[in-house]
Amino acid sequence: MNRKMRSLHRSLGAIVAVFVLMLASTGILLNHTSDLDLDKRYLTWGWIMAHYGIGTVEPDAVYLLDRHTISQFGPQVFIDATPATQSHVPVLGGIVIDDLMVLATQDALLLFTPEGEFIEQMGESVGIPSSIQNIGLFHGDPVVQTRNGQWRSDFMLDQWEQLSMDGVGWSEPQAMPASLEEELGHYFRGKGISVERVILDVHNGHILGKYGIWFADLLGAFLVLISMTGLWLWARRRG
Amino acid sequence: MIKYRYTLRAFVIIGLILSSITVFARGVYQTDQDFLAETFNQAVPKSKVVWVKGELAATITEILGHKYSGLRIRYWKNEQRSVWILEEIGKEKPITFGIVIVGNKIEKIKVLAFRESRGGEIRHPAFTQQFEQAALDKLKLDRHIDGVSGATLSVRAMTDVAILALYLDEFTDENIKD
């Protein structure tokens, strides 16, 4: 019995030692967060960003207009890497007419200056055809494809006539340019995850998510066991 | 035991009803064009725009507490009334308001679309009636608007938009000639 207890005590000791070392070292680091600037240093490793749920963000749609890239992430519409406006419905395409960038959604046109500043949203109340499916250009005039046919307007966008046209240059989705993808990545990820946050999560087990709590419980149980086996061995020796 | 079970069921049913009320609070209550057609008795005038720049932009920022999202604001006006369809964020999402102004006073304010999960009570006529005949008094309303519990931000959005519409109405009267 004595030998078995000693063997159990040693095994538990080896396991617990690893985690006590980890707890002690992370605890010491956390005690000196300010001295070591751990709250001002950031990690941007792909796997750690993904672990914290801020990994790669995929755009819902990308269109290239003139020298600008239009992208939509959820309700947020970006012109290049700058948030320009919000649309709670998908952007279906875009065109450039005169000094306007025009994006189409199913029920409205979103107007921007050439610099990407949002002007206004024009909807059915100002004569924009409903149920838009795409937007394009026909001999320089704006055209929308709707569920009820094709409509053409001029640069004022307030008078639309239904026509059937061949050879419309329809707006088509594009791939996100790599350089912009990186820039937008910075926007979504911010500076990254602070070293302090990662060390704290390692210290309290939250780095393992919901399993971290169970893991901490198991470690606690081991500590109780090792204490009890230690006390038992000590008592036996004294006895 | 049976009594407890019935009580539990009653709570679940009440909870479901309350949550469905919250869900139904979201939605489009009236489209912009229906609101315009109703207000102008089907004879909707051609829309006009006011550009948000210079002193006007600064005043709008003062009213809303933030920069207006957009470079121009569209409105509809005939001899009697002007209509403004404006959006303002309550807590997280934009609320669309339709405001009718007659003689520099609010004739009607209506929530046309509500996208937030809470605060939809502001659409009820019992609340919106408070704004009727309200006028501008140094970039504020000339009256106190009673709040709605749990809808503070939506009430604030509606109040700000009411002030903005009154201000824009005055501004266009003075600065934009037909």
Side-chain angles (χ1 to χ4, degrees):
Chain A
M1 185 65 182
N2 208 7
R3 190 177 295 166
K4 273 188 182 170
M5 198 57 83
R6 190 168 291 140
S7 168
L8 177 65
H9 187 73
R10 277 185 190 151
S11 304
L12 283 172
I15 295 167
V16 166
V18 174
F19 296 105
V20 168
L21 281 172
M22 184 193 74
L23 280 171
S25 52
T26 50
I28 290 166
L29 286 172
L30 287 172
N31 267 346
H32 299 279
T33 293
S34 303
D35 305 330
L36 299 170
D37 282 344
L38 298 181
D39 52 345
K40 295 186 184 76
R41 297 174 196 224
Y42 295 89
L43 302 174
T44 53
W45 303 331
W47 65 270
I48 209 158
M49 301 301 284
H51 183 76
Y52 279 90
I54 38 180
T56 315
V57 184
E58 289 292 325
D60 300 317
V62 178
Y63 297 94
L64 303 181
L65 295 188
D66 206 2
R67 58 185 195 284
H68 294 292
T69 302
I70 315 298
S71 57
Q72 186 176 20
F73 294 79
Q76 188 65 58
V77 177
F78 285 83
I79 307 270
D80 300 322
T82 308
T85 189
Q86 293 213 334
S87 171
H88 291 275
V89 288
V91 171
L92 303 168
I95 55 168
V96 177
I97 46 167
D98 287 337
D99 54 352
L100 280 181
M101 280 195 287
V102 183
L103 304 185
T105 68
Q106 63 181 29
D107 52 9
L109 299 180
L110 309 176
L111 276 52
F112 298 85
T113 64
E115 290 74 36
E117 204 167 351
F118 179 59
I119 300 173
E120 71 161 328
Q121 175 174 313
M122 294 175 75
E124 283 180 62
S125 56
V126 286
I128 305 298
S130 61
S131 306
I132 296 172
Q133 295 171 323
N134 203 351
I135 188 166
L137 286 170
F138 183 71
H139 298 303
D141 287 337
V143 176
V144 290
Q145 174 72 53
T146 73
R147 231 181 278 161
N148 308 313
Q150 296 175 351
W151 299 75
R152 186 170 77 172
S153 182
D154 57 19
F155 69 97
M156 294 291 286
L157 299 165
D158 56 354
Q159 301 283 335
W160 294 81
E161 56 173 340
Q162 194 167 13
L163 289 172
S164 192
M165 293 158 275
D166 286 326
V168 176
W170 295 111
S171 173
E172 287 182 7
Q174 309 282 334
M176 176 74 81
S179 57
L180 190 59
E181 200 169 347
E182 198 167 318
E183 238 180 295
L184 283 165
H186 286 303
Y187 176 87
F188 285 109
R189 289 196 299 261
K191 292 176 181 172
I193 306 291
S194 74
V195 175
E196 181 192 26
R197 167 82 190 272
V198 175
I199 292 175
L200 181 64
D201 287 349
V202 169
H203 188 74
N204 60 25
H206 285 179
I207 196 84
L208 298 176
K210 62 181 177 182
Y211 302 109
I213 297 163
W214 293 104
F215 193 77
D217 288 350
L218 189 68
L219 184 61
F222 280 178
L223 282 167
V224 170
L225 264 177
I226 200 172
S227 309
M228 289 172 74
T229 52
L231 280 171
W232 192 86
L233 288 169
W234 175 76
R236 290 281 294 186
R237 188 170 290 174
R238 276 178 67 94
Chain B
M1 187 67 190
I2 290 170
K3 198 190 265 182
Y4 283 126
R5 199 175 293 167
Y6 281 126
T7 312
L8 185 67
R9 276 185 196 167
F11 273 119
V12 169
I13 290 166
I14 290 167
L16 284 172
I17 291 168
L18 288 175
S19 61
S20 63
I21 287 169
T22 307
V23 170
F24 287 137
R26 289 189 229 183
V28 176
Y29 303 117
Q30 191 172 26
T31 62
D32 299 358
Q33 56 269 40
D34 285 348
F35 180 71
L36 289 166
E38 181 185 282
T39 305
F40 291 109
N41 203 16
Q42 306 301 325
V44 181
K46 196 169 162 41
S47 65
K48 300 171 184 180
V49 294
V50 55
W51 286 86
V52 180
K53 56 185 180 182
E55 200 180 315
L56 175 63
T59 309
I60 291 175
T61 303
E62 190 181 336
I63 292 169
L64 297 178
H66 61 82
K67 199 169 165 250
Y68 183 77
S69 163
L71 288 181
R72 71 184 184 200
I73 300 174
R74 200 166 283 273
Y75 66 102
W76 294 258
K77 194 170 201 169
N78 66 10
E79 293 76 31
Q80 291 90 39
R81 45 177 56 88
S82 71
V83 171
W84 302 83
I85 294 177
L86 301 167
E87 285 192 345
E88 176 63 344
I89 290 175
K91 188 178 180 192
E92 291 170 336
K93 294 179 180 171
I95 307 167
T96 308
F97 298 96
I99 305 116
V100 184
I101 296 176
V102 178
N104 300 126
K105 288 181 177 176
I106 292 175
E107 182 184 59
K108 182 164 81 171
I109 186 164
K110 187 171 183 180
V111 175
L112 302 181
F114 193 85
R115 303 169 184 88
E116 303 272 16
S117 57
R118 286 173 184 275
E121 296 85 351
I122 60 162
R123 76 185 188 279
H124 297 308
F127 178 74
T128 58
Q129 272 168 9
Q130 298 183 86
F131 289 86
E132 288 172 13
Q133 297 308 308
L136 204 58
D137 179 20
K138 293 175 191 164
L139 295 188
K140 287 189 175 162
L141 292 180
D142 63 354
R143 64 193 59 197
H144 173 75
I145 300 295
D146 289 334
V148 177
S149 176
T152 308
L153 295 176
S154 299
V155 171
R156 188 179 300 164
M158 189 181 254
T159 309
D160 289 350
V161 156
I163 296 168
L164 177 59
L166 285 166
Y167 178 75
L168 288 170
D169 182 66
E170 273 188 18
F171 180 86
T172 50
D173 271 352
E174 290 165 11
N175 297 283
I176 300 177
K177 301 296 170 206
D178 293 329

